[in-house]
Amino acid sequence: MRTMTILKAVTADSRQAERETLILTARLKRVGSAAFAVTVRNLSAVGMMVEGETPLTVDEAVVAEIAGLGKVPGRIAWTQEDRAGMAFDAPVDPTRARRPRLTAV
């Protein structure tokens, strides 16, 4: 059975942001609890869709830690089964998440 919760009607402008389809790992942190892993399925300047085992709640404040972007605060805008949409508090440059990062040898 599919369940879906939506925070509010999404305006046409907010859904027009160009999305990058990708698969990245990130961490989400709720206020007062430990961070947990999620998979980022798509990313735009104003939000992202994540997938994970930890249930999220619509309108919940979270901080995402994404390689190349750092800590990005926002709110959960919608949930559906093991996926959720996060709206960022401020726009980010999603191309920074795709940039190669140097690793120590």
Side-chain angles (χ1 to χ4, degrees):
M1 179 169 86
R2 292 187 160 212
T3 59
M4 184 168 185
T5 308
I6 299 177
L7 171 60
K8 60 184 175 182
V10 179
T11 64
D13 289 2
S14 67
R15 297 294 296 162
Q16 297 302 316
E18 185 175 322
R19 290 175 192 79
E20 299 237 1
T21 300
L22 67 164
I23 297 178
L24 294 174
T25 56
R27 298 191 59 76
L28 286 186
K29 183 170 183 353
R30 296 177 165 119
V31 175
S33 45
F36 53 93
V38 294
T39 300
V40 178
R41 293 291 180 183
N42 69 45
L43 177 67
S44 75
V46 296
M48 65 181 179
M49 179 175 63
V50 299
E51 183 177 71
E53 295 180 15
T54 304
L56 294 162
T57 305
V58 170
D59 204 31
E60 178 176 21
V62 293
V63 175
E65 192 167 340
I66 307 164
L69 295 175
K71 294 181 180 179
V72 182
R75 294 189 121 19
I76 300 302
W78 59 267
T79 63
Q80 183 177 11
E81 296 177 1
D82 61 348
R83 293 185 177 193
M86 178 183 172
F88 301 146
D89 288 348
V92 300
D93 177 0
T95 62
R96 289 178 39 207
R98 283 197 181 262
R99 289 187 186 148
R101 283 168 275 299
L102 297 176
T103 56
V105 185

